[in-house]
Amino acid sequence: MSLTIAYDPGNIFAKIIAGDIPCARVYEDDRVISFMDAFPQSKGHTLVVPKVPVCNLFDIADDDLANLIVQTRRIARAVREALAPDGLRLIQFNGEAAGQTVFHLHMHILPIWTDQPLARHGGGMADMEVLKATAARIADKL
Ligand code: AMP
């Protein structure tokens, strides 16, 4: 699978955007949706997803990308305020070879605590009620 693949409208994030499958939502407007990663690498691992149907960084229009990064920083600020991590990573994968597993562009907001090792990318599934409680704490700071 290369970096130039056709967008699959049946991908899991398209289904979340359409409201066809549940998520622990942090924020939503007409251009982005943000929700907790279901297989978190740390507490507060949050995703920010543009609603335009694009696979990766190379496919998105400048204006949609600008909006995505502004919204990502806004939500990252709320994560920082809600959870007070020691650090915070922004991660974004392009292509299977780079570790991308869902082929709808998204930003990872990954809070880091120095005394807590990160879980494996796409490791164990979290409890939905726990994710919803964390999402509510973050949303409260938006
Ligand atoms: P990536 O590897 O960058 O494509 O990341 C995809 C992310 O989506 C991974 O961190 C998964 O844990 C996460 N993920 C997969 N399915 C779901 C889902 N149904 N709800 C929330 N996060 C998901």
Side-chain angles (χ1 to χ4, degrees), residues 79-113:
V79 170
R80 181 182 62 169
E81 246 193 278
L83 304 177
D86 299 317
L88 188 151
R89 268 184 212 158
L90 284 188
I91 308 171
Q92 189 271 317
F93 299 87
N94 297 286
E96 195 172 19
Q100 186 174 10
T101 58
V102 176
F103 297 94
H104 181 119
L105 175 63
H106 52 280
M107 305 293 291
H108 294 258
I109 297 171
L110 191 60
I112 309 282
W113 284 269

Side-chain angles (χ1 to χ4, degrees), residues 12-13 16 21-24 35-41 45 47 91-94 99-104 106 108 121-123 125 131:
I12 195 104
F13 290 173
I16 289 175
I21 64 166
C23 69
F35 49 88
M36 306 314 296
D37 195 298
F39 305 85
Q41 288 190 261
H45 185 169
L47 302 174
I91 308 171
Q92 189 271 317
F93 299 87
N94 297 286
Q100 186 174 10
T101 58
V102 176
F103 297 94
H104 181 119
H106 52 280
H108 294 258
H121 181 54
M125 192 169 189
L131 292 181

Side-chain angles (χ1 to χ4, degrees), residues 25-30 32-35 71 74-75 139 142:
R25 187 166 46 225
V26 172
Y27 175 77
E28 181 168 13
D29 64 22
D30 58 337
V32 298
I33 184 167
S34 175
F35 49 88
Q71 290 291 0
R74 194 170 78 86
I75 294 161
L142 283 171

